[in-house]
Structures are given as C-alpha cells and as structure tokens.
Amino acid sequence: MSGRAPELRATLVQLRTRVDQHFEAARARSPGAFACREGCDSCCLPGLSVFEIEAAALREALAALEPALRDRVRAQGHAPERERCALLVEGRCSVYAVRPLICRSHGLAVVAEAGVVDHCPLNYVDHEVPRASMLVLDAVNRPLAVMAELWDGGARVELAALAREA
C-alpha cells in the first residue's frame, strides 16, 4: 500500500461523493424516471470486482458489521451459486455507505466507450435521458484507476472474496 494512503482514501471519498451527487441531481431532474429504491437489487450481480483501494474500505466496513450479519455475508461468499452479490442481505447492501463506485453508478444513464449510452432497463422507461443526467464512465474510471495504481499497482479483488474474508 502506498505511503499516500490517507490522501488517496480522501480522494476516493471525494469521487464517491461526486457520483452520489450526480445521481441525486439526475433523480431530481427526472423524478419519475427512476425505479431505484431500497430493495431493488437487480443490478447487484455476482462476479463484480473492485480495485484494492475500494476493497480496503469494504474490509473495514465488513469487520464493523454485527457478528450475525458478518457470518451471513461470509456464508454467501462461500455459496457456489449466487444470483446476487454476496454483500447483499435481504435486498440491502450490507456495506452501503462504502459501496464501490460501480454500485453507485448503477441506475444512472452512463456514457461508455464510443459514446454508447446505457441504463437500467427499469429506469427511463417513458422518459428521455437528459444529457446532464448522463454519467461519463471515463470521468469516474480514469481517476479511480490512477488512485488504484498509486495504492498498490492496481490489484483487483472480487466482492465475493471480500465476503469470504469477512
């Protein structure tokens, strides 16, 4: 881990905050366009991984969980066949406050490579996506990749592996 860990953690928190603010602004622009709500977990798929810089915060959050909840998350991480993320318990993210950037961007209309716009099929069903509501993934992924490289060279960790470690 880099000797710049406190600075990198603070920058990560800033980036998370900006994505959250973008999400809230998009929701305010098109309040009827979002199906996202507590209990909606269709985007919480297994197999996702994060950079170690995000994994470090997730490990801390998992360690702080009530023992019974932590045991449940751990058991889910060991389950060979999962339809949802191992960190998800009864439709809720067990580490919601420090959820990864990939999770924070789900539900938003995102602009990916070559300008392709994508969003959850449950959102924007009868609404146009305002340009200002689109999240340019590169604007999130590039700084995250730089932080990850400075943190430890950019190692990735599967969320299920973090659940198993809990």
Side-chain angles (χ1 to χ4, degrees):
M1 179 186 342
S2 166
R4 298 175 52 192
E7 177 187 345
L8 292 170
R9 282 178 186 254
T11 304
L12 177 61
V13 168
Q14 235 179 0
L15 186 57
R16 280 190 209 139
T17 300
R18 289 188 146 176
V19 171
D20 290 347
Q21 289 170 341
H22 185 86
F23 195 106
E24 289 310 313
R27 188 187 296 261
R29 261 183 228 101
S30 308
F34 283 85
C36 300
R37 67 192 177 334
E38 187 174 316
C40 182
D41 61 6
S42 61
C43 61
C44 303
L45 300 174
L48 295 177
S49 66
V50 295
F51 286 115
E52 183 59 45
I53 187 171
E54 288 190 288
L58 292 167
R59 279 188 193 94
E60 290 171 8
L62 287 164
L65 293 177
E66 298 279 332
L69 181 55
R70 191 171 49 247
D71 290 345
R72 181 147 178 211
V73 168
R74 187 179 310 116
Q76 289 176 176
H78 285 285
E81 297 292 323
R82 285 182 321 280
E83 292 183 18
R84 295 286 179 252
C85 176
L87 303 179
L88 193 70
V89 177
E90 296 178 16
R92 295 181 51 133
C93 180
S94 60
V95 291
Y96 188 82
V98 296
R99 69 196 182 283
L101 284 161
I102 184 71
C103 302
R104 291 168 191 272
S105 66
H106 280 195
L108 283 168
V110 295
V111 180
E113 292 181 28
V116 174
V117 177
D118 194 18
H119 59 78
C120 171
L122 302 175
N123 293 343
Y124 295 106
V125 174
D126 296 321
H127 298 80
E128 286 292 318
V129 180
R131 177 72 184 120
S133 294
M134 296 178 192
L135 179 68
V136 178
L137 283 182
D138 236 16
V140 176
N141 291 341
R142 281 186 183 187
L144 179 59
V146 169
M147 285 185 278
E149 183 67 30
L150 292 170
W151 184 266
D152 72 341
R156 293 191 71 87
V157 180
E158 283 193 15
L159 293 180
L162 291 172
R164 288 189 295 273
E165 293 174 14

